[in-house]
């Protein structure tokens, strides 16, 4: 079954052709970061307008690179939530339009389920049940994946998402948006123990909190000024260590308590070098298996939506022309 996945929920216009939910034939991502960077974050109206400009060329490119035409496609999968309403509507309307014009079926896919199921594109993918931590710009949520389509939320952030903490910290440091990658790169040459930032591990549960960490970076800068040179490397490494420490601890603790042996990290922040390394190290120390999608599949892409759409279709979900975008769609 050939699925064309389409993603426009935030600031990436992306499309991919995936065979049987497992084999990527093409994966095209057009990012808008240059447009939003000057505002320090995503401006929803600019995002929607740019999706309108990019969506058809990106779709066309995905089909061309796969060596396919619309005729070859069996199913259109489109992100219908969660995300920015105007941005979601662009992809959804395009999918409906293509469905109407070609007679091909379409299905709405959940963006977070896409992040979680991107792991299916690994050759050595885990079969459910597994524990999946989605860490992105908008979400930090821990799910028990009992089966495809059967998810239980077992922990989440009480305030900022991990990616948001990165992006806000980058802003305080005068680094470009989005802040994850620049901080990750600067941290490579820094001392993670230079500054002991607080680790918030609220209570005896699997929730996390990042607003205190962000505030402590701010206090540090108010006291010592915006760092440069080695001090900047050290601050980034120390901040990164705090984020990776908290997330990896919670993930491993949850696995042990809930009896899971397979762990998945996904979402844009799962591209982070230190978080990947520490999660792997701590999981393996306890005899747990850590599955990490390649970096390209961590940040938003169309392939993950094709996989989520394929699985939704197999469960019997069908899109109809009344399907509405749901900016707050909860997967569980
Ligand atoms: O999943 P994603 O592409 O979009 C959302 O669904 O939000 O995640 C984007 C987030 C941004 O906050 C970005 O700063 C973060 O992922 N990110 C990273 C890295 N690469 C991207 N955070 C930490 N380290 C990275 N290497
Ligand atoms: Zn995402």
């Amino acid at each position: 079954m050939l699925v064309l996945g389409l993603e426009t929920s935030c600031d990436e216009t992306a499309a991919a052709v995936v065979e049987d939910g497992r084999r990527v034939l093409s994966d095209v991502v057009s990012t808008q970061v240059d447009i939003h960077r000057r505002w320090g974050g995503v401006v929803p109206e600019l995002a929607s307008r740019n999706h309108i400009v990019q969506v058809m060329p990106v779709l066309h490119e995905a089909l061309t690179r796969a060596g396919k035409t619309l005729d070859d496609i069996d199913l259109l999968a489109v992100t219908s939530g969660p995300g920015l309403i105007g941005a979601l509507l662009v992809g959804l309307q395009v999918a409906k339009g293509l469905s109407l014009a070609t007679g091909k079926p379409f299905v709405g896919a959940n963006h977070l389920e896409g992040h979680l199921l991107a792991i299916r594109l690994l050759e050595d993918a885990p079969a459910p049940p597994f524990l999946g931590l989605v860490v992105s710009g908008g979400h930090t949520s821990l799910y028990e994946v009992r089966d495809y389509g059967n998810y239980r939320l077992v922990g989440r952030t009480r305030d900022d998402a991990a990616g948001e903490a990165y992006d806000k910290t980058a802003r305080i440091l005068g680094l470009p948006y989005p802040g994850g990658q620049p901080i990750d790169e600067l941290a490579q040459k820094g001392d993670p123990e230079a500054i002991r930032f607080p680790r918030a591990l609220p209570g005896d549960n699997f929730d996390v909190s990042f607003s205190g960490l962000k505030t402590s970076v701010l206090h540090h800068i108010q006291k010592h000024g915006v760092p440069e040179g080695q001090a900047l490397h050290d601050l980034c490494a120390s901040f990164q260590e705090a984020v990776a420490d908290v997330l990896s601890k919670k993930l491993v603790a949850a696995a042990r308590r809930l009896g899971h042996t397979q762990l998945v990290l996904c979402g844009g922040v799962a591209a982070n070098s230190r978080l990947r390394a520490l999660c792997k190290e701590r999981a393996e120390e306890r005899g747990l298996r850590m599955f990490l999608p390649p970096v390209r599949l961590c940040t938003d892409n169309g392939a993950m939506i094709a996989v989520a759409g394929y699985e939704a279709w197999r469960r019997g979900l069908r899109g109809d022309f009344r399907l509405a975008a749901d900016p707050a769609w909860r997967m569980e």
Side-chain angles (χ1 to χ4, degrees):
M1 185 172 197
L2 272 191
V3 183
L4 178 64
L6 180 58
E7 153 66 36
T8 66
S9 71
C10 189
D11 61 345
E12 260 94 33
T13 318
V17 178
V18 176
E19 190 176 37
D20 296 332
R22 296 300 303 266
R23 204 165 77 84
V24 181
L25 303 190
S26 67
D27 183 14
V28 178
V29 179
S30 162
T31 179
Q32 306 179 357
V33 286
D34 291 340
I35 293 169
H36 301 289
R37 187 163 281 152
R38 59 184 291 221
W39 306 104
V42 178
V43 181
E45 180 60 22
L46 291 179
S48 322
R49 289 185 197 191
N50 199 60
H51 283 308
I52 292 173
V53 175
Q54 293 296 328
V55 68
M56 294 317 287
V58 165
L59 267 176
H60 188 74
E61 184 68 21
L63 287 168
T64 306
R65 284 196 203 168
K68 303 289 177 193
T69 66
L70 265 182
D71 276 349
D72 303 314
I73 298 298
D74 300 301
L75 174 68
L76 302 155
V78 61
T79 310
S80 58
L84 302 169
I85 183 67
L88 289 167
L89 281 173
V90 177
L92 186 57
Q93 292 307 109
V94 166
K96 285 180 181 175
L98 288 177
S99 174
L100 190 64
T102 61
K104 309 270 177 185
F106 80 98
V107 66
N110 182 294
H111 183 84
L112 298 181
E113 189 177 12
H115 277 305
L116 271 176
L117 298 193
I119 202 70
R120 290 213 11 98
L121 296 168
L122 280 189
E123 212 162 286
D124 180 25
F130 59 81
L131 199 59
L133 178 60
V134 187
V135 271
S136 69
H139 295 86
T140 294
S141 305
L142 183 61
Y143 292 96
E144 236 180 359
V145 177
R146 293 163 160 179
D147 197 354
Y148 300 122
N150 184 352
Y151 309 103
R152 186 168 82 96
L153 182 70
V154 293
R156 60 180 173 83
T157 179
R158 300 253 172 112
D159 36 62
D160 293 348
E164 205 178 341
Y166 264 95
D167 297 340
K168 286 179 176 169
T169 297
R171 196 173 183 162
I172 299 172
L173 293 171
L175 300 172
Y177 171 87
Q181 208 185 346
I183 290 181
D184 196 356
E185 280 166 15
L186 285 162
Q188 303 301 320
K189 288 192 188 141
D191 173 7
E193 287 168 16
I195 309 159
R196 177 77 196 172
F197 285 124
R199 271 74 162 152
L201 296 160
D204 188 25
N205 55 49
F206 309 123
D207 287 351
V208 290
S209 158
F210 291 113
S211 69
L213 173 60
K214 175 193 63 195
T215 309
S216 355
V217 173
L218 193 60
H219 286 163
H220 184 87
I221 284 167
Q222 283 165 347
K223 204 163 155 196
H224 303 279
V226 175
E228 288 174 21
Q230 189 55 42
L232 179 60
H233 289 292
D234 288 346
L235 190 146
C236 289
S238 302
F239 165 82
Q240 179 144 297
E241 195 62 21
V243 175
D245 186 24
V246 165
L247 289 172
S248 56
K249 252 190 201 135
K250 285 280 176 174
L251 178 62
V252 168
R256 298 190 75 187
R257 183 105 61 86
L258 301 169
H260 286 275
T261 55
Q262 308 189 102
L263 310 180
V264 169
L265 190 64
C266 59
V269 184
N272 186 261
S273 60
R274 184 60 184 147
L275 181 61
R276 294 171 79 90
L278 202 54
C279 282
K280 198 163 187 324
E281 182 186 314
R282 289 184 168 161
E284 284 172 0
E285 269 168 20
R286 289 161 183 83
L288 309 169
R289 274 196 81 185
M290 186 73 231
F291 293 86
L292 299 165
V295 167
R296 178 177 174 79
L297 289 174
C298 291
T299 44
D300 290 350
N301 63 83
M304 69 184 203
I305 298 307
V307 179
Y310 173 80
E311 287 301 335
W313 177 265
R314 291 215 306 176
R315 301 197 294 268
L317 251 79
R318 302 289 181 264
D320 69 39
F321 293 109
R322 286 165 304 179
L323 179 69
D326 181 354
W329 183 4
R330 288 172 62 111
M331 197 173 62
E332 65 282 17

